[in-house]
Amino acid sequence: MGSEERARRRWEREMLRRLEELDRVDREHGLGAMPSSAPPPRRRRRQLGPVLPGLGIVLALLAAVMLRDPGMSGDRLRSLFGLDDRLSSAVEAPAGGGQYRFERTQAGGGQPVTWNPCRPIRYAVNPDGGPDDWQEIVDASVDNVTEATGFVFEYAGTTDDRPFADDLLRSQEAPVVIGWASDDEVPELAGDVAGLGGGVAIETRPGRLGYVRGAVALDTDLLDLLDGQSDAFVQHRALLDHELAHVLGLGHVDDPSELMYADNLGQTGFGPGDLTGLAALGAVPCG
């Protein structure tokens, strides 16, 4: 097992630990809330007027639908009430096969754990320690994964957040943060590890997991290695492509011709297996 794979597994274990903490916070305080010692706000009785009639109308509609079609599934109900409108069309997987692997799959089937294609994936960049052309590198990489998945990404600007070195569960400006770090700050970047990427998933609806947080940390030592090389931009962008694919849900493969091979051997673009896996990540139903 290479040093990059060992570092990734250590990082994944830390992600899982943080996921368990997120689940605990979710159970105690509700999704997205953080613990607070402040007392809950008092409810105002006048709010009950408009809420209850609206709720009654929804329940009546739901009852009518179920009576008409008792076998209607949750996905079809979501579609009926306009809750599963994709932001972009699913991407057709390329012909030719290739090798790919999902980082995680849903229980009871091979469907991947990934992000919600009906919500934008907001991301921010912490440029500290990055190259002068970091904006162009990030833009090109986000364009690549957008084209390969059909996910819609939403740029939230720059940030001081560093969840890859701090706590992925603390409040941050965007669910996904991209940045650069040294192995002094992120020990998993020591040795020949050029970058780390991954995310945490929670149960977004009963029995279904979805990613809600993610981060990429690129090694600042990479800048010295690429300094003066004619293809420095392409190599840097390819590394970010690789790590963003991890954030979206792809794992490493054994085929050295794919970009998701653990050790980069000069690949500068997604291979057929990479593209097939990314298309599958973006083709999941909403939720």
Side-chain angles (χ1 to χ4, degrees), residues 4-19:
E4 181 180 358
E5 184 65 19
R6 288 195 297 270
R8 273 191 50 75
R9 293 194 176 183
R10 286 197 300 272
W11 212 45
E12 287 171 3
R13 288 196 295 270
E14 177 64 12
M15 289 284 192
L16 289 175
R17 183 191 67 77
R18 294 174 179 179
L19 171 60

Side-chain angles (χ1 to χ4, degrees), residues 2 61 87 101 120 129 176 201 215 251 282:
L61 287 172
L87 298 180
R101 184 179 70 83
V176 175

Side-chain angles (χ1 to χ4, degrees), residues 63-78:
V65 168
M66 295 302 290
L67 284 173
R68 186 176 183 86
D69 186 359
M72 178 169 284
S73 66
D75 287 339
R76 291 179 64 192
L77 281 173
R78 290 171 63 84

Side-chain angles (χ1 to χ4, degrees), residues 122-185:
R122 296 184 69 248
Y123 71 99
V125 180
N126 187 323
D128 288 353
D132 293 339
D133 58 349
W134 66 265
Q135 184 77 69
E136 290 80 6
I137 293 171
V138 172
D139 287 348
S141 185
V142 169
D143 285 346
N144 281 349
V145 295
T146 296
E147 183 178 356
T149 61
F151 285 122
V152 171
F153 288 79
E154 184 178 279
Y155 181 47
T158 58
T159 180
D160 293 330
D161 291 333
R162 302 185 71 78
F164 39 83
D166 198 337
D167 187 352
L168 196 61
L169 299 182
R170 71 181 177 86
S171 177
Q172 58 192 48
E173 294 184 45
V176 175
V177 175
I178 300 167
W180 287 259
S182 68
D183 57 11
D184 290 333
E185 183 181 19

Side-chain angles (χ1 to χ4, degrees), residues 19-249:
L19 171 60
E20 291 172 356
E21 175 64 13
L22 182 59
D23 286 339
R24 183 190 65 77
V25 171
D26 182 29
R27 289 193 300 270
E28 295 180 5
H29 303 277
L31 179 60
M34 296 303 292
S36 170
S37 58
R42 298 184 63 182
R43 298 181 184 273
R44 293 182 294 174
R45 292 181 59 84
R46 67 181 182 182
Q47 291 179 330
L48 298 179
V51 172
L52 289 179
L55 180 60
I57 292 171
V58 171
L59 290 176
L61 287 172
L62 182 59
V65 168
M66 295 302 290
L67 284 173
R68 186 176 183 86
D69 186 359
M72 178 169 284
S73 66
D75 287 339
R76 291 179 64 192
L77 281 173
R78 290 171 63 84
S79 177
L80 178 66
F81 286 99
L83 299 177
D84 66 345
D85 292 334
R86 300 182 63 90
L87 298 180
S88 180
S89 299
V91 174
E92 185 176 351
Q99 187 181 110
Y100 66 92
R101 184 179 70 83
F102 300 129
E103 202 71 76
R104 302 180 67 180
T105 56
Q106 304 287 352
Q111 194 175 74
V113 174
T114 184
W115 295 74
N116 185 353
C118 301
R119 298 288 184 271
I121 301 175
R122 296 184 69 248
Y123 71 99
V125 180
N126 187 323
D128 288 353
D132 293 339
D133 58 349
W134 66 265
Q135 184 77 69
E136 290 80 6
I137 293 171
V138 172
D139 287 348
S141 185
V142 169
D143 285 346
N144 281 349
V145 295
T146 296
E147 183 178 356
T149 61
F151 285 122
V152 171
F153 288 79
E154 184 178 279
Y155 181 47
T158 58
T159 180
D160 293 330
D161 291 333
R162 302 185 71 78
F164 39 83
D166 198 337
D167 187 352
L168 196 61
L169 299 182
R170 71 181 177 86
S171 177
Q172 58 192 48
E173 294 184 45
V176 175
V177 175
I178 300 167
W180 287 259
S182 68
D183 57 11
D184 290 333
E185 183 181 19
V186 182
E188 291 86 355
L189 289 172
D192 59 357
V193 179
L196 292 168
V200 292
I202 65 170
E203 192 174 57
T204 54
R205 52 188 168 115
R208 186 175 186 82
L209 296 174
Y211 285 114
V212 294
R213 287 285 190 274
V216 170
L218 303 181
D219 193 354
T220 52
D221 289 343
L222 179 69
L223 303 184
D224 295 331
L225 293 174
L226 296 178
D227 187 34
Q229 294 189 20
S230 59
D231 64 345
F233 177 91
V234 173
Q235 292 291 342
H236 212 140
R237 189 266 305 148
L239 174 61
L240 184 52
D241 286 353
H242 176 104
E243 301 306 339
L244 281 177
H246 280 313
V247 171
L248 295 178

Side-chain angles (χ1 to χ4, degrees), residues 229-283:
Q229 294 189 20
S230 59
D231 64 345
F233 177 91
V234 173
Q235 292 291 342
H236 212 140
R237 189 266 305 148
L239 174 61
L240 184 52
D241 286 353
H242 176 104
E243 301 306 339
L244 281 177
H246 280 313
V247 171
L248 295 178
L250 280 191
H252 284 148
V253 297
D254 298 326
D255 185 349
S257 68
E258 303 286 357
L259 189 63
M260 295 311 293
Y261 186 65
D263 298 314
N264 190 294
L265 302 178
Q267 308 94 325
T268 59
F270 290 124
D274 302 320
L275 292 172
T276 299
L278 289 168
L281 290 173

